Amino acid sequence: MESFYSRKKFLKLLALSAAGLGLSENIISPLFSQTSGASKMLKRKIPKTGEEIPAIGLGTWQTLDVDPDPSSLAPLKEVLSEFLHTGGGVIDSSPMYGRSEEIFGILSKDFSDAEKKKFFLATKVWIRGEAAGKSQIEASFKKMKAEKIDLFQIHNLLDTQTHLKTLRGLKEKGKIRYIGLTHFTTSAFAEMERISEKEKPDFLQIPYSIQTREAENRILPFAQEHGIAILINRPFEEGGLFRNTKGKTLPEYFKEWDCNSFAQAFLKYILSHPAVTCAIPATSKISHLKDNMGAGLGRFPEGKERKVFLSNLLDAMD
């Protein structure tokens, strides 16, 4: 397969025409909650309520799917502690992710009540049928040791209409606070928009990275227009972006934007889009967690600056 980065000229032209598409170059989004050079974690507002959540979250796919033995749990407890200490909150899981919900529940018992309140718990239902869906949802509450889950999402749009009914009932009872839809492919964007037009979810979770930027063309502007929060999965292309930066040095230009690593530059570009509420990179390593969290600090490019930022980033990876 042709390397993404070998198409440098095409991508640069595409970046200059597509980055920020649908946005005025002079827009400063009211969803930003941080000033330039700030030392606190960037927070974004959930459009439906105005509630603010940290803009860097933590995915759990593969990383929390471990055996519940002390040697496996200890480093994950350290990651979660550092996550909270550096201003994080959003934890995203799914029954699809093996034992991830269960492991989070086990680890959560070691946190104080005050610390537990800092977590914004998000998980998913991923099964067909009303009865099976209700059973899976109930199991998620038990596994995560949670009386209330902040965001319940329908994973990959599976049996959406059936599960929406169940989730709305739980929301009315105060068991969940927000309802969302997710998918990991850009080909699902049209269907996500069609469902969202009618059902008006609180959140959409979508793929978006410097390599996969289709979201800029339609679903991010759609979310802005309809007041829908956006979670970003696959921000590093499952590690693929780092294979393209191995042995390379981040140019001095990025220090202007408080970036100290390629990971921070990748995340800052994503978060610089005002429609993005939170990115959820997954990691089980404390060093990677600290690096990721640093992307939520400092300055972010806006408007035309986003195009220059992206162009320089693609150059650095060529």
Side-chain angles (χ1 to χ4, degrees):
M1 181 179 294
E2 181 184 5
S3 168
F4 171 83
Y5 296 102
S6 68
R7 296 171 290 166
K8 173 182 172 184
K9 291 184 179 179
F10 170 76
L11 287 171
K12 287 188 70 175
L13 289 172
L14 184 63
L16 293 173
S17 63
L21 186 64
L23 301 173
S24 166
E25 297 294 356
N26 297 316
I27 284 178
I28 298 178
S29 170
L31 300 184
F32 276 86
S33 181
Q34 185 187 54
T35 56
S36 295
S39 59
K40 291 185 178 181
M41 171 61 62
L42 173 70
K43 291 188 175 182
R44 288 281 170 79
K45 291 181 179 180
I46 298 170
K48 295 288 179 65
T49 63
E51 176 185 358
E52 291 186 336
I53 59 174
I56 299 288
L58 184 64
T60 62
W61 182 62
Q62 294 187 327
T63 56
L64 261 64
D65 184 16
V66 300
D67 291 328
D69 57 76
S71 62
S72 297
L73 295 177
L76 296 176
K77 168 67 185 307
E78 185 181 12
V79 165
L80 288 181
S81 296
E82 182 68 17
F83 180 61
L84 290 183
H85 176 71
T86 50
V90 179
I91 297 283
D92 181 76
S93 194
S94 171
M96 182 186 179
Y97 302 165
R99 305 185 77 162
S100 293
E101 291 178 317
E102 175 192 352
I103 295 301
F104 173 80
I106 292 171
L107 293 169
S108 70
K109 293 188 293 184
D110 293 332
F111 290 92
S112 68
D113 289 342
E115 289 173 323
K116 289 178 183 177
K117 289 180 181 178
K118 294 180 181 179
F119 285 118
F120 182 98
L121 301 184
T123 192
K124 309 173 186 77
V125 56
W126 187 63
I127 200 167
R128 290 192 182 277
E130 182 177 1
K134 287 181 177 179
S135 178
Q136 190 179 76
I137 289 167
E138 182 180 355
S140 291
F141 277 92
K142 292 179 180 178
K143 290 176 181 178
M144 299 186 83
K145 304 288 191 277
E147 293 295 322
K148 179 183 292 187
I149 290 178
D150 296 286
L151 169 62
F152 230 109
Q153 304 155 99
I154 299 171
H155 204 160
N156 294 345
L157 307 180
L158 184 64
D159 208 356
T160 299
Q161 294 305 317
T162 297
H163 299 318
L164 278 174
K165 179 181 177 181
T166 300
L167 294 179
R168 283 172 177 152
L170 290 172
K171 188 175 182 181
E172 290 175 1
K173 294 176 181 178
K175 295 288 290 181
I176 65 176
R177 301 174 59 229
Y178 298 101
I179 296 172
L181 307 174
T182 83
H183 214 284
F184 70 100
T185 66
T186 59
S187 61
F189 286 172
E191 181 67 3
M192 294 184 91
E193 290 180 12
R194 186 191 67 78
I195 295 172
S196 297
E197 284 272 11
K198 179 182 177 182
E199 305 296 347
K200 299 177 172 46
D202 304 304
F203 277 78
L204 296 177
Q205 184 181 141
I206 61 169
Y208 180 40
S209 72
I210 65 156
Q211 176 175 324
T212 302
R213 300 195 304 278
E214 286 89 338
E216 294 177 351
N217 297 328
R218 53 181 305 169
I219 204 160
L220 291 178
F222 173 88
Q224 285 183 291
E225 180 182 352
H226 291 81
I228 301 173
I230 292 285
L231 296 184
I232 299 301
N233 58 45
R234 297 168 56 87
F236 300 142
E237 297 290 335
E238 298 181 7
L241 296 183
F242 297 118
R243 289 189 284 274
N244 288 280
T245 61
K246 188 175 181 179
K248 295 182 172 68
T249 301
L250 190 70
E252 286 291 314
Y253 162 84
F254 292 95
K255 290 186 177 180
E256 176 184 347
W257 303 105
D258 301 303
C259 293
N260 297 307
S261 67
F262 276 104
Q264 292 180 6
F266 297 150
L267 289 171
K268 283 213 177 220
Y269 178 75
I270 291 169
L271 294 177
S272 69
H273 196 296
V276 172
T277 310
C278 177
I280 49 172
T283 185
S284 60
K285 296 182 179 180
I286 190 70
S287 59
H288 293 174
L289 185 280
K290 290 180 178 179
D291 194 23
N292 293 344
M293 298 305 285
L297 309 177
R299 301 187 65 231
F300 293 81
E302 297 177 357
K304 292 180 180 179
E305 293 172 332
R306 293 189 78 239
K307 300 175 183 179
V308 178
F309 187 99
L310 176 60
S311 180
N312 278 296
L313 190 51
L314 294 175
D315 275 347
M317 298 179 71
D318 186 45

